[in-house]
Amino acid sequence: MNEANGKNRDALHQDFIKVWGNPHGWRALTVVNHTAVGIRFMVTGGVFFLIGGLMAMLMRTQLALPQQKIIGPKLYDQLFTMHGTVMMFLFAVPILEGLALYLIPKMIGARDLLFPRLSAFGYFCYLFGSLILMSSLVLGIAPAGGWFMYTPLTNAVYSPGPNVDFWLLGITFVEISAVSAGVELVVSILRSRTSGMGLLHMPLFCWYILVMSLMIVFGFPPLILGSILLELERAAGMPFFDIARGGDPILWQHLFWLFGHPEVYIIFLPAAGIVSTLLPVFSRRPIFGYRWIVMAIIATGFISFGLWVHHMFAIGIPKLAQTFFSMASMLVAIPTSIQLFAWLATLWTGRPVYHVPMLWLVGFVVVFVTGGLTGVMLALVPFNWQVHDTHFVVAHLHYVLVGGMFFPLMAGLYYWLPHFSGRMPSDNLARWGFWLTFVGFNTTFLVMHWTGLLGMPRRVYTYQAGLGWDLPNGLSSIGGFIFAMGIAMILLDIVLHFRFGRPAGTNPWQADTLEWATDMPPQPYNFISQPVCSTRHPMWDEPDLQATIAEGRHGLSEITHGRRETWGSDPVTGSIREIIHLPGNSWLPFCSALALSVVCISLLTRSYGMAVIAVLVSLLLLLRWSWINGAHPDAAPDADVMSGYPPLHSRTFDGPGLWGMVVTLLSDGALYLSMLFSWLYLWTVAPQWQLPDTAPMSWLPFSISGLLLTGAAVWFNQIVMRLRKGVVYRLQFQLWCVSVLGLLHCFLLIWVWSDSALVSTKTAHDAVIAVLLMYQLFHSGLAVIMTALQALRVAYGYVGKAAPYELAVVAPWWLYTSVVFWISFAAIVLLPGAWGDF
């Protein structure tokens, strides 16, 4: 009987590999499978961690003794700028996103993420953006204004040349990658859980990643906007941060820290998710206070967006604002403490087993609690004033980020190492690596608190002898080298592990979550059959689950149709609603990201003609991407499903694309709200804000343009509503009419702009209005293109009564675009008029 089951399993596996298999050689660039993409993110992030660490060691060598000349001031400024940038943007977020991309489908019992091409595209954006940024260091023209890029230090006057442009364009490219992964993870967690996995049955790691991803969706757009505005100021002379022309450099700080402080918790939450995943396994009991932890995760996500001025106490903000943000900064310690006490209760009431991952978890608790205590100290405004811009802040930052992220990451690495290699980690080398890292880290940064209290400022490349800074700096540098030795030991251990590690058996840690029900290393399809999972501990409740899944005893084990399929489930209950068919391997993500990288390089070299060509190529590639979708023969040649199964998602109105569109528009809305914030901030705070004597644009044609847009949006939504009722009347003709109406709106809006008195290089007032108009034209034009594309797809039979999915996806874009128009109209026409400014 077992032999027969083995033969059936092998045959089924071969059938699945024909559909899900990954190519090799150059065609490996076409792979979109989440396992491969997640590993690429993690490996690339690890390489950047080593590069950033090398920069840190060069700086510590320079500061080991007073008045050294190993590194000059110019190179030192570039090193500390690039070190912070690499660690925050190229290492911390990407490696955690990579871990999430790798694990989430396995943990929720899915075969892949719902937008696999988007994941692959995000990776290549990350890779190319990082290479663009790092090339500046190789060329000797790296940015030197700090990883926070404060203006006016980074404007064209004080930072001429392309140095800052490398940062702005490279980081914006990387941010696109992060937002793509955020959208991917939100929708996949909510809509592709296996049958029966309700929200409160999800592993805690999924909750952490869900909140982290939503924070990325809302938190990264302010920095993207700030980068765009600063690049427009540098390249086109639009004065958003120039006081003399009505701007304000403090606006950059607001936009940066609107991203920057949520970023700390974006990094912390996945690491805390690793802790909450590993502690029950090694404590041999379920996590204590599951629901309390879920509430604490959500509360952390909300509160973290109210802390950004925590970094701006020394710039002269009003005392009422100082009080509010000081209280908020202390308030965030409450949900963090709830999680800490739940972890301690799990250890206290369990039967802990201290394998290597547990060493890193204990180290995390010690280091992170220390960082949390200094964080509360910095939340007190008078103390913050005293230690601002000293080494005390540097020490706190590293205790929070390294303790709160790196130590759990190492615990997770050793825990999931059998998943990547099929082998168990060693014990001796791993312990040496931990202790060297732990001792080296604390020697480096615990002493740095002392250096900061003695008054040593950060970002200085040398110092005079006799100030009391010699000994602590020497100790910190020694600790840094011990830390580096620990990292080297860990790398040696991992390399040897893949060659000499002991083979791992089934579920080697006796874990409770579904990722251990896959093969090790996992197959591209994860699960041959997808089980019903109505418990938080499926591997504890059904120890033979891995075998029954591999034998095809559960749902969706058919592959003869040739489609890549996974369940589509209800976002709350986890009940099955449809079968989601996923796209296969494609060159489109790689080529699209490559074309966008050419756009960035062209902007860096001021080759605007080449930039326009690259934009057009990118647009064509993305349109081709959207064409091979839905009911297209290459995506789903037929709609046949087995009796008793739900329909394919492309034959419904509520597939993952609709959810992806809504989440994307939430991120888009965060970008737009950041623009409105900038408009209102400059209007009310900028010391030299300049208003024209009369309205800069004629309100009547402007409003007519909006009416045309609103008419197109209403018409499109009426088409979708009738289609939901099964009414299809001249569908293609109506879509062409909507496209024409939207096109008329665009032409009229362009005429209104060209006929206006706006001079975007003269005042910040005109520059902000110009950006709002560009934003509107981009969205209106894209709505027209998408609608025209749908009209063509109707002609090809890819969209219609039997396949209505795509029209429902486009409808929210029209609605959003029209709402944004009228908000902008109110902000730049009605509000100034009502205020009496013109």
Side-chain angles (χ1 to χ4, degrees):
M1 183 67 177
N2 290 334
E3 185 178 351
N5 287 339
K7 289 181 180 179
N8 291 336
R9 173 181 175 175
D10 291 343
L12 201 54
H13 165 73
Q14 293 302 323
D15 291 339
F16 268 79
I17 286 296
K18 290 176 184 177
V19 176
W20 287 86
N22 294 330
H24 302 285
W26 283 106
R27 293 188 64 237
L29 295 173
T30 67
V31 171
V32 299
N33 180 262
H34 79 100
T35 298
V37 172
I39 291 174
R40 288 174 180 175
F41 265 104
M42 288 186 280
V43 171
T44 308
V47 171
F48 283 121
F49 169 74
L50 297 178
I51 294 172
L54 179 61
M55 296 177 193
M57 294 314 302
L58 289 172
M59 290 187 288
R60 283 287 5 137
T61 302
Q62 166 67 17
L63 294 175
L65 297 171
Q67 296 179 307
Q68 293 202 96
K69 298 181 180 179
I70 299 171
I71 299 173
K74 180 180 177 182
L75 178 57
Y76 189 89
D77 288 348
Q78 292 182 352
L79 285 176
F80 82 71
T81 298
M82 292 298 288
H83 168 73
T85 300
V86 166
M87 289 305 196
M88 294 295 287
F89 294 101
L90 308 188
F91 163 63
V93 173
I95 202 168
L96 291 170
E97 283 189 326
L99 183 64
L101 293 171
Y102 178 90
L103 285 175
I104 287 298
K106 299 173 177 64
M107 282 189 162
I108 61 177
R111 287 183 176 145
D112 206 337
L113 295 163
L114 293 186
F115 309 121
R117 289 185 298 193
L118 183 62
S119 301
F121 172 74
Y123 171 72
F124 289 119
C125 287
Y126 161 53
L127 178 64
F128 295 148
S130 301
L131 292 176
I132 290 171
L133 178 61
M134 296 305 297
S135 67
S136 66
L137 192 61
V138 177
L139 296 171
I141 50 175
W147 70 277
F148 35 79
M149 287 289 134
Y150 280 178
T151 57
L153 181 63
T154 53
N155 66 20
V157 175
Y158 296 103
S159 294
N163 306 55
V164 173
D165 299 316
F166 273 99
W167 194 96
L168 295 171
L169 293 168
I171 290 303
T172 300
F173 207 10
V174 172
E175 299 292 88
I176 292 172
S177 165
V179 173
S180 299
V183 172
E184 173 82 271
L185 289 166
V186 169
V187 180
S188 295
I189 291 171
L190 292 176
R191 292 288 281 112
S192 66
R193 301 192 304 274
T194 194
S195 178
M197 185 180 282
L199 280 178
L200 291 179
H201 295 139
M202 285 199 308
L204 277 173
F205 185 78
C206 299
W207 275 106
Y208 281 100
I209 297 301
L210 177 61
V211 173
M212 175 208 76
S213 302
L214 286 168
M215 290 175 68
I216 288 174
V217 165
F218 289 106
F220 278 39
L223 179 60
I224 294 174
L225 174 68
S227 299
I228 293 171
L229 297 185
L230 184 52
E231 182 60 27
L232 286 173
E233 179 170 299
R234 289 174 56 83
M238 301 172 74
F240 304 102
F241 310 107
D242 182 357
I243 291 179
R245 291 182 286 171
D248 190 349
I250 302 302
L251 174 61
W252 169 266
Q253 293 194 36
H254 280 290
L255 293 174
F256 184 88
W257 291 116
L258 273 167
F259 145 84
H261 208 89
E263 161 88 339
V264 173
Y265 294 95
I266 287 168
I267 293 171
F268 166 68
L269 283 177
I274 294 172
V275 178
S276 294
T277 300
L278 271 59
L279 272 182
V281 175
F282 294 110
S283 297
R284 300 292 186 257
R285 62 144 292 160
I287 191 77
F288 185 90
Y290 176 98
R291 292 172 184 263
W292 282 98
I293 292 177
V294 170
M295 289 190 288
I297 298 167
I298 297 170
T300 301
F302 274 108
I303 297 173
S304 68
F305 281 94
L307 308 182
W308 79 92
V309 180
H310 171 98
H311 297 267
M312 301 166 62
F313 284 155
I315 67 168
I317 62 173
K319 291 183 178 180
L320 181 62
Q322 290 178 352
T323 302
F324 172 82
F325 287 103
S326 177
M327 292 175 60
S329 299
M330 289 183 279
L331 184 65
V332 78
I334 295 175
T336 305
S337 300
I338 290 173
Q339 296 169 73
L340 180 61
F341 284 122
W343 296 332
L344 294 175
T346 303
L347 283 170
W348 185 266
T349 57
R351 294 172 284 110
V353 180
Y354 288 93
H355 293 298
V356 171
M358 279 291 283
L359 273 180
W360 289 97
L361 294 185
V362 173
F364 152 75
V365 172
V366 173
V367 174
F368 184 72
V369 169
T370 303
L373 291 174
T374 57
V376 173
M377 294 167 67
L378 287 168
L380 301 173
V381 177
F383 183 82
N384 188 292
W385 285 344
Q386 297 302 314
V387 299
H388 185 76
D389 266 348
T390 70
H391 272 211
F392 188 95
V393 177
V394 178
H396 160 72
L397 180 67
H398 284 82
Y399 262 86
V400 170
L401 292 180
V402 178
M405 177 267 184
F406 182 74
F407 277 74
L409 182 65
M410 287 296 100
L413 173 66
Y414 277 104
Y415 175 71
W416 281 297
L417 206 51
H419 221 279
F420 302 122
S421 65
R423 298 177 181 272
M424 295 299 290
S426 67
D427 194 60
N428 293 331
L429 281 177
R431 290 179 184 273
W432 272 102
F434 167 76
W435 285 112
L436 285 170
T437 303
F438 184 78
V439 172
F441 171 81
N442 284 285
T443 303
T444 302
F445 295 106
L446 190 61
V447 175
M448 204 175 284
H449 289 94
W450 173 21
T451 318
L453 290 173
L454 289 174
M456 181 173 178
R458 54 179 172 170
R459 310 180 196 116
V460 294
Y461 83 104
T462 191
Y463 52 94
Q464 296 292 325
L467 297 175
W469 303 343
D470 308 32
L471 177 60
N473 269 295
L475 290 174
S476 289
S477 295
I478 292 170
F481 281 99
I482 297 172
F483 190 11
M485 290 170 59
I487 300 300
M489 188 69 72
I490 293 167
L491 290 173
L492 176 64
D493 182 28
I494 292 172
V495 170
L496 293 176
H497 157 86
F498 277 87
R499 177 66 179 86
F500 301 107
R502 174 172 53 87
T506 301
N507 195 7
W509 301 115
Q510 299 303 303
D512 60 329
T513 44
L514 272 178
E515 77 271 21
W516 297 102
T518 67
D519 291 339
M520 290 185 292
Q523 302 295 341
Y525 50 79
N526 289 338
F527 308 96
I528 278 184
S529 57
Q530 296 185 251
V532 175
C533 181
S534 55
T535 171
R536 295 175 191 163
H537 314 287
M539 296 298 289
W540 285 350
D541 295 340
E542 298 182 58
D544 63 341
L545 193 57
Q546 184 186 34
T548 60
I549 288 173
E551 291 166 6
R553 299 188 192 178
H554 303 279
L556 217 61
S557 60
E558 303 77 27
I559 198 64
T560 53
H561 44 63
R563 296 187 296 259
R564 296 187 177 194
E565 294 181 342
T566 192
W567 287 132
S569 54
D570 183 86
V572 177
T573 65
S575 59
I576 300 303
R577 292 188 0 185
E578 66 266 302
I579 297 172
I580 297 174
H581 54 89
L582 306 171
N585 299 324
S586 172
W587 281 104
L588 287 168
F590 173 79
C591 294
S592 300
L594 185 62
L596 288 174
S597 70
V598 173
V599 174
C600 289
I601 295 170
S602 301
L603 293 175
L604 276 171
T605 58
R606 301 293 192 261
S607 303
Y608 297 119
M610 178 60 71
V612 171
I613 294 172
V615 166
L616 293 175
V617 171
S618 303
L619 180 61
L620 289 174
L621 288 168
L622 294 172
L623 289 174
R624 177 61 180 170
W625 181 337
S626 66
W627 186 260
I628 307 174
N629 203 1
H632 188 281
D634 290 345
D638 59 64
D640 293 338
V641 297
M642 287 190 62
S643 177
Y645 276 7
L648 299 182
H649 80 268
S650 58
R651 275 66 179 180
T652 70
F653 278 98
D654 190 26
L658 177 60
W659 287 71
M661 174 63 80
V662 171
V663 176
T664 301
L665 289 175
L666 290 176
S667 186
D668 200 355
L671 181 74
Y672 178 73
L673 289 175
S674 299
M675 282 195 289
L676 282 184
F677 169 80
S678 302
W679 167 258
L680 296 174
Y681 176 85
L682 292 175
W683 189 6
T684 55
V685 175
Q688 300 295 328
W689 179 251
Q690 302 169 26
L691 289 168
D693 296 329
T694 58
M697 292 185 298
S698 176
W699 68 268
L700 183 58
F702 193 18
S703 59
I704 293 173
S705 168
L707 291 173
L708 289 171
L709 173 63
T710 304
V714 170
W715 194 346
F716 191 94
N717 278 272
Q718 287 293 323
I719 292 171
V720 175
M721 290 175 62
R722 285 194 293 269
L723 194 58
R724 287 182 181 274
K725 299 175 182 178
V727 178
V728 181
Y729 176 72
R730 304 187 70 184
L731 181 58
Q732 185 183 13
F733 174 75
Q734 291 194 71
L735 290 174
W736 282 121
C737 289
V738 171
S739 301
V740 170
L741 203 59
L743 197 60
L744 290 173
H745 150 74
C746 292
F747 285 144
L748 185 55
L749 188 59
I750 292 170
W751 179 82
V752 169
W753 188 0
S754 62
D755 190 57
S756 70
L758 293 172
V759 182
S760 60
T761 58
K762 183 178 180 181
T763 66
H765 171 274
D766 289 4
V768 175
I769 292 179
V771 171
L772 286 169
L773 291 174
M774 284 189 283
Y775 179 88
Q776 185 64 54
L777 280 169
F778 172 81
H779 286 74
S780 298
L782 199 54
V784 171
I785 291 172
M786 288 191 292
T787 305
L789 195 69
Q790 292 303 302
L792 287 173
R793 291 176 72 80
V794 171
Y796 278 87
Y798 302 156
V799 172
K801 185 176 181 180
Y805 164 68
E806 295 176 46
L807 292 178
V809 174
V810 177
W813 186 273
W814 274 108
L815 179 62
Y816 174 84
T817 303
S818 59
V819 169
V820 160
F821 176 91
W822 291 112
I823 294 175
S824 298
F825 183 84
I828 63 181
V829 176
L830 299 182
L831 189 58
W835 204 266
D837 286 327
F838 47 72

PDB file of all heavy atoms in Angstrom, residues 281 284 415 507-513 515-516 538-540:
ATOM      1  N   VAL A 281       7.263  27.120  19.795  1.00  0.00           N
ATOM      2  CA  VAL A 281       7.891  25.869  19.364  1.00  0.00           C
ATOM      3  C   VAL A 281       8.909  25.404  20.391  1.00  0.00           C
ATOM      4  O   VAL A 281       8.929  24.233  20.788  1.00  0.00           O
ATOM      5  CB  VAL A 281       8.560  26.062  17.982  1.00  0.00           C
ATOM      6  CG1 VAL A 281       9.314  24.806  17.565  1.00  0.00           C
ATOM      7  CG2 VAL A 281       7.521  26.432  16.934  1.00  0.00           C
ATOM      8  N   ARG A 284       7.352  24.595  23.838  1.00  0.00           N
ATOM      9  CA  ARG A 284       6.497  23.407  23.821  1.00  0.00           C
ATOM     10  C   ARG A 284       5.092  23.699  24.344  1.00  0.00           C
ATOM     11  O   ARG A 284       4.489  22.893  25.052  1.00  0.00           O
ATOM     12  CB  ARG A 284       7.131  22.263  24.642  1.00  0.00           C
ATOM     13  CG  ARG A 284       8.498  21.806  24.132  1.00  0.00           C
ATOM     14  CD  ARG A 284       8.357  21.125  22.789  1.00  0.00           C
ATOM     15  NE  ARG A 284       9.600  20.535  22.307  1.00  0.00           N
ATOM     16  CZ  ARG A 284      10.375  21.063  21.370  1.00  0.00           C
ATOM     17  NH1 ARG A 284      10.041  22.216  20.826  1.00  0.00           N
ATOM     18  NH2 ARG A 284      11.470  20.462  20.963  1.00  0.00           N
ATOM     19  N   TYR A 415      16.362  28.829  12.591  1.00  0.00           N
ATOM     20  CA  TYR A 415      15.146  28.025  12.722  1.00  0.00           C
ATOM     21  C   TYR A 415      14.679  27.488  11.374  1.00  0.00           C
ATOM     22  O   TYR A 415      14.329  26.310  11.233  1.00  0.00           O
ATOM     23  CB  TYR A 415      14.054  28.904  13.349  1.00  0.00           C
ATOM     24  CG  TYR A 415      12.689  28.267  13.437  1.00  0.00           C
ATOM     25  CD1 TYR A 415      12.430  27.228  14.333  1.00  0.00           C
ATOM     26  CD2 TYR A 415      11.634  28.720  12.643  1.00  0.00           C
ATOM     27  CE1 TYR A 415      11.166  26.661  14.443  1.00  0.00           C
ATOM     28  CE2 TYR A 415      10.376  28.164  12.735  1.00  0.00           C
ATOM     29  CZ  TYR A 415      10.153  27.142  13.633  1.00  0.00           C
ATOM     30  OH  TYR A 415       8.884  26.577  13.726  1.00  0.00           O
ATOM     31  N   ASN A 507       9.477  17.730   9.888  1.00  0.00           N
ATOM     32  CA  ASN A 507       9.195  18.668  10.971  1.00  0.00           C
ATOM     33  C   ASN A 507      10.233  18.560  12.086  1.00  0.00           C
ATOM     34  O   ASN A 507       9.924  18.189  13.227  1.00  0.00           O
ATOM     35  CB  ASN A 507       7.779  18.402  11.525  1.00  0.00           C
ATOM     36  CG  ASN A 507       7.280  19.563  12.387  1.00  0.00           C
ATOM     37  OD1 ASN A 507       7.910  20.617  12.487  1.00  0.00           O
ATOM     38  ND2 ASN A 507       6.145  19.343  13.040  1.00  0.00           N
ATOM     39  N   PRO A 508      11.486  18.918  11.810  1.00  0.00           N
ATOM     40  CA  PRO A 508      12.572  18.632  12.756  1.00  0.00           C
ATOM     41  C   PRO A 508      12.477  19.349  14.088  1.00  0.00           C
ATOM     42  O   PRO A 508      12.979  18.849  15.096  1.00  0.00           O
ATOM     43  CB  PRO A 508      13.814  19.077  11.976  1.00  0.00           C
ATOM     44  CG  PRO A 508      13.313  20.071  10.984  1.00  0.00           C
ATOM     45  CD  PRO A 508      11.951  19.598  10.593  1.00  0.00           C
ATOM     46  N   TRP A 509      11.838  20.518  14.138  1.00  0.00           N
ATOM     47  CA  TRP A 509      11.712  21.241  15.406  1.00  0.00           C
ATOM     48  C   TRP A 509      10.407  20.906  16.132  1.00  0.00           C
ATOM     49  O   TRP A 509      10.155  21.456  17.199  1.00  0.00           O
ATOM     50  CB  TRP A 509      11.741  22.754  15.160  1.00  0.00           C
ATOM     51  CG  TRP A 509      12.955  23.298  14.485  1.00  0.00           C
ATOM     52  CD1 TRP A 509      13.011  23.892  13.261  1.00  0.00           C
ATOM     53  CD2 TRP A 509      14.290  23.337  14.989  1.00  0.00           C
ATOM     54  NE1 TRP A 509      14.284  24.296  12.962  1.00  0.00           N
ATOM     55  CE2 TRP A 509      15.107  23.970  14.011  1.00  0.00           C
ATOM     56  CE3 TRP A 509      14.893  22.889  16.175  1.00  0.00           C
ATOM     57  CZ2 TRP A 509      16.472  24.169  14.177  1.00  0.00           C
ATOM     58  CZ3 TRP A 509      16.261  23.094  16.331  1.00  0.00           C
ATOM     59  CH2 TRP A 509      17.032  23.713  15.356  1.00  0.00           C
ATOM     60  N   GLN A 510       9.600  20.030  15.523  1.00  0.00           N
ATOM     61  CA  GLN A 510       8.256  19.734  16.059  1.00  0.00           C
ATOM     62  C   GLN A 510       7.429  21.021  16.155  1.00  0.00           C
ATOM     63  O   GLN A 510       6.813  21.322  17.185  1.00  0.00           O
ATOM     64  CB  GLN A 510       8.345  19.047  17.429  1.00  0.00           C
ATOM     65  CG  GLN A 510       9.069  17.705  17.402  1.00  0.00           C
ATOM     66  CD  GLN A 510       8.420  16.730  16.413  1.00  0.00           C
ATOM     67  OE1 GLN A 510       7.235  16.428  16.518  1.00  0.00           O
ATOM     68  NE2 GLN A 510       9.211  16.247  15.455  1.00  0.00           N
ATOM     69  N   ALA A 511       7.429  21.751  15.055  1.00  0.00           N
ATOM     70  CA  ALA A 511       6.731  23.029  14.992  1.00  0.00           C
ATOM     71  C   ALA A 511       5.251  22.814  14.716  1.00  0.00           C
ATOM     72  O   ALA A 511       4.808  21.701  14.408  1.00  0.00           O
ATOM     73  CB  ALA A 511       7.355  23.905  13.909  1.00  0.00           C
ATOM     74  N   ASP A 512       4.471  23.898  14.808  1.00  0.00           N
ATOM     75  CA  ASP A 512       3.016  23.780  14.703  1.00  0.00           C
ATOM     76  C   ASP A 512       2.435  24.390  13.440  1.00  0.00           C
ATOM     77  O   ASP A 512       1.247  24.224  13.172  1.00  0.00           O
ATOM     78  CB  ASP A 512       2.352  24.452  15.919  1.00  0.00           C
ATOM     79  CG  ASP A 512       2.690  25.926  16.038  1.00  0.00           C
ATOM     80  OD1 ASP A 512       3.798  26.308  15.622  1.00  0.00           O
ATOM     81  OD2 ASP A 512       1.865  26.691  16.559  1.00  0.00           O
ATOM     82  N   THR A 513       3.246  25.099  12.621  1.00  0.00           N
ATOM     83  CA  THR A 513       2.690  25.843  11.493  1.00  0.00           C
ATOM     84  C   THR A 513       2.903  25.114  10.170  1.00  0.00           C
ATOM     85  O   THR A 513       3.767  24.249  10.038  1.00  0.00           O
ATOM     86  CB  THR A 513       3.316  27.243  11.426  1.00  0.00           C
ATOM     87  OG1 THR A 513       4.730  27.140  11.634  1.00  0.00           O
ATOM     88  CG2 THR A 513       2.735  28.145  12.505  1.00  0.00           C
ATOM     89  N   GLU A 515       4.141  25.684   7.226  1.00  0.00           N
ATOM     90  CA  GLU A 515       5.306  25.670   6.333  1.00  0.00           C
ATOM     91  C   GLU A 515       6.134  24.394   6.502  1.00  0.00           C
ATOM     92  O   GLU A 515       6.884  24.004   5.604  1.00  0.00           O
ATOM     93  CB  GLU A 515       6.184  26.910   6.545  1.00  0.00           C
ATOM     94  CG  GLU A 515       7.064  26.902   7.780  1.00  0.00           C
ATOM     95  CD  GLU A 515       6.362  27.477   8.995  1.00  0.00           C
ATOM     96  OE1 GLU A 515       5.121  27.507   8.990  1.00  0.00           O
ATOM     97  OE2 GLU A 515       7.056  27.897   9.937  1.00  0.00           O
ATOM     98  N   TRP A 516       5.968  23.714   7.652  1.00  0.00           N
ATOM     99  CA  TRP A 516       6.705  22.466   7.884  1.00  0.00           C
ATOM    100  C   TRP A 516       5.982  21.262   7.296  1.00  0.00           C
ATOM    101  O   TRP A 516       6.461  20.131   7.428  1.00  0.00           O
ATOM    102  CB  TRP A 516       6.958  22.272   9.377  1.00  0.00           C
ATOM    103  CG  TRP A 516       7.832  23.354   9.928  1.00  0.00           C
ATOM    104  CD1 TRP A 516       7.435  24.426  10.662  1.00  0.00           C
ATOM    105  CD2 TRP A 516       9.240  23.496   9.743  1.00  0.00           C
ATOM    106  NE1 TRP A 516       8.509  25.226  10.956  1.00  0.00           N
ATOM    107  CE2 TRP A 516       9.636  24.680  10.408  1.00  0.00           C
ATOM    108  CE3 TRP A 516      10.216  22.744   9.070  1.00  0.00           C
ATOM    109  CZ2 TRP A 516      10.962  25.111  10.427  1.00  0.00           C
ATOM    110  CZ3 TRP A 516      11.532  23.185   9.101  1.00  0.00           C
ATOM    111  CH2 TRP A 516      11.896  24.348   9.773  1.00  0.00           C
ATOM    112  N   PRO A 538      -1.907  23.361  13.164  1.00  0.00           N
ATOM    113  CA  PRO A 538      -2.241  22.205  12.320  1.00  0.00           C
ATOM    114  C   PRO A 538      -1.239  21.058  12.432  1.00  0.00           C
ATOM    115  O   PRO A 538      -1.632  19.892  12.406  1.00  0.00           O
ATOM    116  CB  PRO A 538      -2.248  22.793  10.902  1.00  0.00           C
ATOM    117  CG  PRO A 538      -1.452  24.051  10.992  1.00  0.00           C
ATOM    118  CD  PRO A 538      -1.686  24.572  12.363  1.00  0.00           C
ATOM    119  N   MET A 539       0.035  21.350  12.563  1.00  0.00           N
ATOM    120  CA  MET A 539       1.029  20.284  12.618  1.00  0.00           C
ATOM    121  C   MET A 539       1.037  19.564  13.965  1.00  0.00           C
ATOM    122  O   MET A 539       1.467  18.413  14.058  1.00  0.00           O
ATOM    123  CB  MET A 539       2.427  20.836  12.305  1.00  0.00           C
ATOM    124  CG  MET A 539       2.581  21.378  10.893  1.00  0.00           C
ATOM    125  SD  MET A 539       2.328  20.107   9.624  1.00  0.00           S
ATOM    126  CE  MET A 539       3.797  19.120   9.835  1.00  0.00           C
ATOM    127  N   TRP A 540       0.567  20.221  15.019  1.00  0.00           N
ATOM    128  CA  TRP A 540       0.440  19.554  16.310  1.00  0.00           C
ATOM    129  C   TRP A 540      -0.837  18.709  16.345  1.00  0.00           C
ATOM    130  O   TRP A 540      -0.854  17.621  16.911  1.00  0.00           O
ATOM    131  CB  TRP A 540       0.412  20.572  17.448  1.00  0.00           C
ATOM    132  CG  TRP A 540       1.763  21.163  17.754  1.00  0.00           C
ATOM    133  CD1 TRP A 540       2.960  20.746  17.265  1.00  0.00           C
ATOM    134  CD2 TRP A 540       2.029  22.285  18.602  1.00  0.00           C
ATOM    135  NE1 TRP A 540       3.973  21.526  17.759  1.00  0.00           N
ATOM    136  CE2 TRP A 540       3.439  22.483  18.590  1.00  0.00           C
ATOM    137  CE3 TRP A 540       1.241  23.125  19.373  1.00  0.00           C
ATOM    138  CZ2 TRP A 540       4.055  23.497  19.323  1.00  0.00           C
ATOM    139  CZ3 TRP A 540       1.855  24.140  20.098  1.00  0.00           C
ATOM    140  CH2 TRP A 540       3.244  24.325  20.077  1.00  0.00           C
TER     141      TRP A 540
END
